Every structure is written in C-alpha cells, then in structure tokens.
Amino acid sequence: MPELAEVLFYTRQWDAGMGQRIVRVLVHPSARVFRGGHVGQLAAGLTGKTYQRPFAHGKNMLFAFSGGHWLGGHLGMTGEMLAADPAHTPEKHDHLVLYTAAAALVYRDPRMFGHWRYEKGDEAPAWWRALPPEVLSRAFTLRHVQHILTRRARTPLKPLLLDQAFFPGIGNWMADEVLWQLRLHPSTPSGACDAAALRAAVQTITRTAVKTIGRDWSDPPRSWLFLHRWKAGGHCPRCHAALERGEFRGRTACWCPQCVLPNSALDRRVAPSRR
DNA sequence: CATCATGTTATAAT
DNA sequence: CATTATAACATGAT
C-alpha cells in the first residue's frame, strides 16, 4: 500500500505506545523482514527501553527509543503498522511486536517485502541522514527539480517520478495522479516537462494526501484520479473517457487518453530533449 | 487455475 | 559508464 501519506499514517499507529516501556519484544520465527540483521541484538537492545517517537521520510520510517536505540523500517508492498491490545497474540504475518503496558505495537506484512533494521547510536543512523530532500522540504527547490529534469531529460516522466532518489515517497498512484493532473502522458520525456509545474503538482498532491490519508486514512478528493485508477474499466473523473492502462518499466500506469495534452510526447521516437 | 498488486534490488543486456 | 529490461522476492485478492 504504502506511499508517503500512508507511511506517515502508519508511523503514527504506534503512538499508542509512546512514552511506554517495552516489556517484551517478539520476532517472527522466519525473521525474513530483518534481512540477516541480528534479531537477538534487536530484542535485547529494545527490551526495557522507552518508545520515544516516530519519524517518516518518504517511504522510510525511523523509530526512536531511549538510550540511543533506533529502529528503521520500510513497509515494502504490504507492510502495515498497528497498535493492538497489550495481550495481543501474534498472527500469521506479525513479524515484530513490541509489548508495552498500554498497547502491543505490531508490524504486519504478508508479502514480506518490507525490511527493518536496528541500530544503536547517539544520533539518527547515517543512512537516515543521507536520504534525499523531501518533496515538502525547503531543500526541494525549483532549481533542484530543474536539475533533475535536465539531468534525466530523456527518461520518461513516470519512472522518473518513481525514483526515490529524486521524489522520495512518490509511488505508483501518486505518480499517476501527478501526471494526470498535469495532463501529461506517462511517457513524456522529462526534459519536456516544466519544472515549476511539476514541483507544484507534486507538492499540492502530497499536501492533500497527507491531510486526508495521512491524517485519518480518509480518501483524497473524488475529483482526483486516485479512486478511479485501480482496476481496468475506470473512467476519467474529469472527462469520463475510459482510462487507459499500460506498463512502464515493469509498473502499471493509468492515464486518460482524452485529457492528455496533444503536445505531451506520446511517441518515444520523437526527438525528446530540448531547452 | 491464471493474473495482478500502492516496492525494491540484483543481474543481464544494450 | 549509463540506461533499461527482466527476474526475483512471497502472498492474497479477483
């Protein structure tokens, strides 16, 4: 599920255990989502510590515990966080459960594409501090976006938007939403895209998603592509034309063939880069 | 039974 | 070297 706003929502599900002591740590026997990490150290390190607070950055999560203990997480495709009853009995796909007196903090993930790491240190781990500028941060300047579009001028916009090094937190549905709102075809060469317009669309869509999905899992506006893009047979909420679906770099894209601007390059053989 | 899925990454091929 | 395609990961929903 999880893109930026969903990730933010999930990090907050553990708020029920904020300020609480971890009395017991339970790790799924397969330990698959820990990717070879030392789960014994994780369990021993977090037991007795206090859960302090969550951080979200794009699709990455970081949880701070007292004494300089950190838990980094990524939800993959089907990862989910929830707070359960303190007496929670782990279910089939519960990979990590932190028990406190107030709540059991659960990480659940059927497909196990998510991953978790534990570390100890006075400040947030190096990998966290090295993450690229967030799309709603000050550092996500027009110049920055211009630089990306120039550097990757021939790359189609859809895969560019999915690149976490450039647009952290943007996933498949948000990328389709951005392109649809800009009336751009997913194959539009990045160099042909206006940086200011792209930046504005990415930021307003992110802000609205954070205020709806991120806040209480409510749906973003019905006028968005969001609700209509999921399955084949959907219709454009703007012009009611049948939506089109296709594959780009292994991911499904959905767009409105009617709304797409005529000058947004549909044909990749057409010479792309300019400026 | 076959297909598809809101993600990432290693490896192969160009 | 940079870019792109493909497979792989593992499970559940349709």
Side-chain angles (χ1 to χ4, degrees), chain A residues 7 10-14 46 51-55 61-65 69-73 81 98 116 128:
Chain A
V7 171
Y10 280 132
T11 62
R12 299 220 175 108
Q13 299 313 296
W14 279 11
L46 295 184
Y51 172 46
Q52 291 177 326
R53 58 160 296 187
F55 300 89
M61 309 180 296
L62 185 66
F63 301 90
F65 297 83
H69 297 259
W70 305 88
L71 203 47
M81 329 273 305
L98 306 181
W116 288 79
W128 178 265

Side-chain angles (χ1 to χ4, degrees), chain A residues 75-250:
Chain A
L75 298 165
M77 195 84 105
T78 54
E80 181 186 353
M81 329 273 305
L82 57 127
D85 186 274
H88 177 70
T89 306
E91 295 181 14
K92 188 179 173 188
H93 301 299
D94 292 354
H95 295 276
L96 177 68
V97 185
L98 306 181
Y99 288 96
T100 73
L105 310 179
V106 181
Y107 174 63
R108 183 171 293 168
D109 187 352
R111 284 174 79 178
M112 300 186 275
F113 291 171
H115 48 91
W116 288 79
R117 46 177 131 177
Y118 159 77
E119 29 223 315
K120 188 166 168 19
D122 292 333
E123 54 182 338
W127 62 266
W128 178 265
R129 286 178 281 135
L131 291 170
E134 290 190 276
V135 299
L136 292 183
S137 71
R138 238 177 183 191
F140 196 75
T141 59
L142 177 58
R143 268 196 57 171
H144 177 64
V145 177
Q146 256 159 359
H147 184 62
I148 293 167
L149 292 177
T150 307
R151 226 171 61 194
R152 307 295 293 273
R154 290 166 54 186
T155 302
L157 274 175
K158 179 66 193 278
L160 189 83
L161 282 163
L162 291 177
D163 192 328
Q164 298 302 294
F166 300 139
F167 301 96
I170 303 298
N172 211 22
W173 78 255
M174 290 187 85
D176 281 353
E177 190 68 45
V178 167
L179 294 174
W180 178 81
Q181 293 198 16
L182 291 172
R183 300 175 184 249
L184 293 174
H185 191 277
S187 69
T188 307
S190 298
C193 178
D194 180 72
L198 182 69
R199 176 169 175 270
V202 164
Q203 292 189 324
T204 55
I205 287 166
T206 301
R207 275 194 208 98
T208 304
V210 165
K211 279 194 282 194
T212 53
I213 299 171
R215 180 170 296 162
D216 56 10
W217 207 257
S218 55
D219 287 336
R222 310 194 79 138
S223 56
W224 281 21
L225 180 66
F226 180 74
L227 292 171
H228 312 269
R229 68 173 294 285
W230 299 108
K231 53 192 184 311
H235 290 265
C236 174
R238 197 161 42 203
C239 75
H240 305 296
L243 292 169
E244 211 159 306
R245 292 161 72 84
E247 191 148 308
F248 290 84
R249 304 258 181 96

